Amino acid sequence: MRLKIALLAVMTRWQITGYKLGQASGLDRSVISKLIRGEVKTAEWEKIEQLLNGFEKIDPMARDAFMGALQRPDSTYPLITDATLGFTLARESPELIAEILAILKDLKLVDLAREERLKAVLAEEDPVTDIPPCTLEEHISKKMIIARCDKDGI
């Protein structure tokens, strides 16, 4: 399977942004973006190992899925196509969401007390669902990705 399709399949399934994968793997986000866009058809084993280690840090099952996806034929994932390349990259990035939140705060359109309560809830691991802690920006990013998936029927 092509590297970009394997990356997209796993990133989409686990709702992992290029930013988060970059942080976990140590790869620059621009390298990850190039891999996803198909600008780099193959990668050295060192980069693949970094991606595998990054997925492992996020979720060990994501690592296994990525390794498995690399070994499957392209036809295995017919819904992941070039049309979905921007899916995990642009609008939903936690960095962009942080910038948007800052603007909303400047305009006094954000209830700061509610924001702080939500941040506190998100910072705690949920023992029932075993959902790991995340930032407000990551939470909003995931919600946006899910909404776009629902809208696009993915």
Side-chain angles (χ1 to χ4, degrees), residues 44-126:
E44 308 90 40
W45 181 246
E46 181 181 313
K47 282 191 176 50
I48 300 294
E49 282 183 326
Q50 283 181 278
L51 290 168
L52 287 166
N53 290 335
F55 283 126
E56 176 80 26
K57 288 177 185 174
I58 295 168
D59 186 333
M61 289 178 62
R63 179 202 185 278
D64 295 343
F66 180 62
M67 184 58 113
L70 287 172
Q71 298 170 358
R72 296 184 188 275
D74 289 350
S75 60
T76 305
Y77 296 96
L79 294 176
I80 307 296
T81 64
D82 289 345
T84 60
L85 292 178
F87 184 71
T88 57
L89 299 177
R91 295 190 310 209
E92 293 83 6
S93 74
E95 306 87 14
L96 182 59
I97 292 169
E99 292 173 16
I100 292 168
L101 284 173
I103 292 168
L104 292 174
K105 287 176 191 175
D106 286 345
L107 296 171
K108 300 192 184 337
L109 295 173
V110 174
D111 181 342
L112 297 178
R114 287 183 67 187
E115 178 187 6
E116 290 306 316
R117 285 194 302 269
L118 181 56
K119 282 182 177 181
V121 169
L122 294 173
E124 298 175 9
E125 185 165 342
D126 186 343

